[in-house]
Amino acid sequence: MLKTPVLRLATLCATLIFSLAFACQSGGPPEIRAERVVMVSFDGVGADLAWRWIADGTAASPDGLRGLAESGFSAERLRMVDPTLTAVNHATLATGRNAAGTGIVNNWYRHPGTSIIERISGFTASSDAETLWEAARRSGLTVATLVWPGADGEAPDRRGDFGAVWPGPPLAASELLDLEPGTAGTTGEVPSADGLAPLLWRFEVGLGSADPKSVTALVALVDSNPDGRPRYDAAAMRLENASDWSYVGEMEWFELGFEAQGGRDDRSRSYGAWCKVLRIDRLDGGLRLYVGGAHRLRAYPEAFEDRLTEAIGPWPGEPDREQLAAWWLDLAAGIDLDTFLEQSERLDRYLDRMAEWVLAEEDPDLVLAYHPSADEYQHASLITDELQWAFSPGRALAAREGLARVGRSIDASVKALWSVLEPERDALVVVSDHGLVSIHEIVRPNMVLETAGLLKIASDGRRLRIAADTPMVATASGAAINLYLNLEGREPDGVVSSSEAPDLLRRAARAFADLEVEGRPVTEKIFTRAEAVAVGLDSPNAGDLVVFLAPGFAASAGLDGPNHEPSRYYGQHGYLAAHDEMCGMLFARGAGIKKNRRGEIPATAVAPMVARWLGFEMSTPGGGPE
């Protein structure tokens, strides 16, 4: 929706009038208001990591992070709220309130008064506090939310005027295919040099309950170089119902694009699956093929989704952490580090194009955008500790170089955004939600409760589940755990009386306090709900006990296996915000922003700061730098 010059002028005048009123209340606004603000969150880029990238030249562009640090506003550390989780801190960045103020106390948690076995995602929950997109729209401004966590578009208070949302699970999962020459046919549709007959395979991509239920792809190996030496060196690809072949070499990518109606779709949509030729047996003709997950772009409203999909294509998918985890332990398995990083960079460039298109075509006043690449990478590859399962000096070096490559991609995204803004009227704000630390052990909190006789597990013959009459249950993400009593009078089918509750809580606290791995305490801190006010978690949504694990340990939701075991992934967050490693970054540049470098700023200051730069006020005000 392009604004006309008259509408833009009217909006700006109204904003300036409101700004003058706000200035009288706040002791004076900045000299210049930003007409448009773009705030982008790079998930998982801790403050120390961001400043290291600037110092060592990883982020070298004068229009990237270094330019923001040298020419704009910055903080040495952005102190996040507890727990240092993605859903929690994106709610804080959007509201200026801590977890008690938003009610979003974890990535996964419970609401009081619901069944003990029900849990809520913090990514699809409404905040108790007004968000930036609500306040901006209330003030007559236009807002785009581009995959911002918590703005899922499913409720009026969780959407801007238009936006893209996290697409969720793929229509078809990724897979690795080893195609052997003995199973191949041949074809005359594609040429092959030096007398070497093409080898042809068909493979199906299953789409579950979608319409169609599968798509069939053809892949042929050929000799593309008529040099007198018969060698397979290229692959030709097409869908069975298509006519044109695409040619790629070893270690090159191609996209399978098709139309399908998935279970969540109201009509046929455009899907894409990015695939890569990992290995060609040049002599015998074997082929190893990675087939990526099939995704589509999800956005709102529908007409906006159609236009955006036509402009930038289907969602390319996230980096494949499970396949990389397999590779770290066995270099012959999964996908290699370069392949994972190429997926990460593809997603960064896709999100860059999304923001650029929205700014050019829709001209919103406020854009909230999101990139997951640093978080995805560090969960899979923060290999720094000899205690980690995959650790070796060589792997640690490769992982460190990979993280630098992620930094260069993020710097390219910042540069791309800055290049399409107008510094005289626009402001770019770059933030993150937490840092990460390396982990070596996972803990299953529900198994800890079960061992202590505080949790009941049932089975339906196919899988284990938590019994409805369990005395307690744990919900967790990262290093933050909420322990809930199944309390009579509070939960619909509560089984724990008020007289029993104190003893059960003491037993649960003791079970976690006593938990050790080779003499190392697993738990850093345990709070009752009343004590949790000290870390901003005095919310009815928080557990009756709130447990924070010590760095090096992370929680898992599993109901089978031991209480703890070595982790097959290597980076995590959710630890107490008092750890400097959990601090996020804050940089800003553009109209109305003075060159200024601060020490530490609370994450609760960001939303009021953005609102002030755009000339409106949050209904739940907080502090912020002028």
Side-chain angles (χ1 to χ4, degrees):
M1 180 184 69
L2 285 171
K3 288 187 175 68
T4 65
V6 172
L7 180 58
R8 168 63 74 184
L9 180 60
T11 301
L12 182 57
C13 289
T15 298
L16 289 173
I17 292 169
F18 185 86
S19 299
L20 291 174
F22 181 65
C24 295
Q25 299 171 15
S26 64
E31 295 178 4
I32 302 172
R33 293 290 184 198
E35 188 176 340
R36 187 168 61 173
V37 172
V38 177
M39 181 161 74
V40 56
S41 170
F42 291 96
D43 194 336
V45 180
D48 292 344
L49 181 60
W51 286 107
R52 188 177 83 209
W53 282 343
I54 292 169
D56 68 13
T58 297
S61 172
D63 291 332
L65 288 175
R66 180 167 66 86
L68 269 70
E70 292 178 350
S71 303
F73 175 85
S74 62
E76 293 287 342
R77 299 184 190 280
L78 186 65
R79 185 68 62 179
M80 311 316 299
V81 304
D82 284 303
T84 52
L85 295 168
T86 298
V88 175
N89 274 286
H90 278 92
T92 291
L93 290 169
T95 64
R97 301 294 298 275
N98 63 13
T102 65
I104 299 172
V105 298
N106 202 295
N107 286 354
W108 292 98
Y109 60 96
R110 293 189 59 252
H111 267 166
T114 61
S115 169
I116 194 69
I117 60 176
E118 291 182 16
R119 63 178 191 162
I120 297 166
S121 168
F123 295 98
T124 57
S126 294
S127 168
D128 293 339
E130 186 180 47
T131 60
L132 275 170
W133 53 85
E134 291 177 283
R137 296 181 76 191
R138 174 172 53 77
S139 301
L141 303 181
T142 303
V143 184
T145 61
L146 304 182
V147 206
W148 185 272
D152 68 336
E154 293 299 315
D157 60 352
R158 301 202 302 272
R159 59 194 293 142
D161 293 276
F162 43 84
V165 303
W166 192 256
L171 188 61
S174 66
E175 58 180 326
L176 285 167
L177 300 178
D178 287 302
L179 304 176
E180 302 295 338
T183 64
T186 190
T187 178
E189 292 186 35
V190 291
S192 185
D194 299 321
L196 203 58
L199 296 179
L200 178 70
W201 296 269
R202 284 178 168 82
F203 65 90
E204 281 197 357
V205 178
L207 304 180
S209 60
D211 181 19
K213 296 189 180 301
S214 66
V215 293
T216 301
L218 279 64
V219 55
L221 270 186
V222 299
D223 182 343
S224 66
N225 184 15
D227 58 359
R229 296 185 301 168
R231 296 285 190 276
Y232 290 108
D233 61 5
M237 314 281 180
R238 70 171 173 86
L239 290 175
E240 189 175 46
N241 60 359
S243 56
D244 295 332
W245 293 83
S246 298
Y247 290 83
V248 292
E250 192 173 52
M251 302 303 288
E252 291 183 348
W253 291 89
F254 65 97
E255 185 183 22
L256 289 177
F258 56 90
E259 299 291 314
Q261 183 173 350
R264 297 169 57 196
D265 301 338
D266 58 354
R267 58 181 172 86
S268 185
R269 304 282 183 168
S270 295
Y271 281 84
W274 280 93
C275 310
K276 184 179 181 180
V277 176
L278 295 176
R279 185 176 65 248
I280 293 175
D281 185 332
R282 295 174 180 269
L283 295 179
D284 297 328
L287 174 69
R288 189 166 214 214
L289 183 66
Y290 171 76
V291 181
H295 296 270
R296 78 166 177 90
L297 174 66
R298 296 185 185 274
Y300 66 88
E302 187 173 19
F304 174 78
E305 179 185 300
D306 290 342
R307 294 175 60 224
L308 185 57
T309 300
E310 183 178 359
I312 66 174
W315 181 261
E318 306 87 67
D320 199 329
R321 283 161 49 179
E322 288 189 9
Q323 294 286 2
L324 181 62
W327 181 81
W328 279 124
L329 295 176
D330 179 358
L331 299 185
I335 60 171
D336 60 89
L337 185 59
D338 275 343
T339 299
F340 182 92
L341 287 165
E342 288 162 359
Q343 291 178 314
S344 178
E345 290 161 347
R346 180 183 297 112
L347 183 55
D348 275 338
R349 302 293 81 77
Y350 181 86
L351 293 168
D352 294 345
R353 294 196 303 275
M354 179 187 292
E356 291 163 10
W357 185 88
V358 166
L359 287 165
E361 297 296 321
E362 305 294 331
D363 195 21
D365 302 295
L366 174 62
V367 176
L368 299 175
Y370 173 76
H371 283 242
S373 53
D375 184 73
E376 295 280 352
Y377 181 82
Q378 291 176 95
H379 278 304
S381 303
L382 195 57
I383 300 174
T384 63
D385 189 336
E386 292 181 358
L387 294 173
Q388 291 173 307
W389 202 345
F391 180 86
S392 72
R395 287 189 177 95
L397 176 61
R400 186 164 62 250
E401 291 301 313
L403 184 56
R405 185 166 158 183
V406 171
R408 290 190 289 273
S409 183
I410 287 172
D411 201 45
S413 290
V414 175
K415 177 182 177 180
L417 265 178
W418 182 248
S419 71
V420 297
L421 297 178
E422 299 177 32
E424 296 79 14
R425 74 179 186 110
D426 298 334
L428 174 61
V429 182
V430 174
V431 295
S432 63
D433 54 347
H434 55 73
L436 285 88
V437 297
S438 61
I439 62 168
H440 53 79
E441 197 86 6
I442 61 164
V443 178
R444 296 182 176 91
N446 279 309
M447 297 308 297
V448 175
L449 291 178
E450 196 268 345
T451 300
L454 297 169
L455 178 128
K456 290 184 179 180
I457 296 176
S459 173
D460 59 9
R462 293 177 298 175
R463 63 183 182 89
L464 298 174
R465 58 180 175 80
I466 295 170
D469 62 344
T470 183
M472 293 188 75
V473 71
T475 66
S477 186
I481 305 167
N482 286 297
L483 304 180
Y484 298 93
L485 287 168
N486 194 2
L487 199 60
E488 289 179 352
R490 186 181 69 182
E491 276 65 45
D493 300 305
V495 298
V496 176
S497 68
S498 58
S499 61
E500 295 173 305
D503 180 59
L504 267 61
L505 292 177
R506 281 192 293 270
R507 288 168 56 191
R510 177 53 55 194
F512 281 90
D514 288 346
L515 195 60
E516 293 184 346
V517 175
E518 297 180 355
R520 295 184 298 275
V522 168
T523 301
E524 180 172 7
K525 196 76 174 178
I526 302 173
F527 299 93
T528 65
R529 185 178 292 168
E531 294 168 340
V533 66
V535 288
L537 282 168
D538 48 323
S539 165
N541 295 339
D544 297 290
L545 289 179
V546 181
V547 178
F548 284 90
L549 300 181
F553 300 93
S556 168
L559 291 177
D560 55 357
N563 290 355
H564 59 83
E565 66 181 4
S567 177
R568 291 176 178 266
Y569 71 100
Y570 306 107
Q572 193 51 278
H573 50 96
Y575 303 94
L576 284 166
H579 292 287
D580 287 347
E581 295 88 346
M582 292 297 104
C583 286
M585 64 173 172
L586 171 61
F587 299 92
R589 186 180 184 184
I593 302 173
K594 300 175 182 178
K595 181 179 179 181
N596 189 358
R597 182 165 171 176
R598 297 283 184 91
E600 183 174 302
I601 291 175
T604 52
V606 172
M609 180 183 73
V610 170
R612 188 159 60 249
W613 287 345
L614 277 170
F616 65 88
E617 186 177 5
M618 305 288 290
S619 66
T620 52
E626 294 184 357

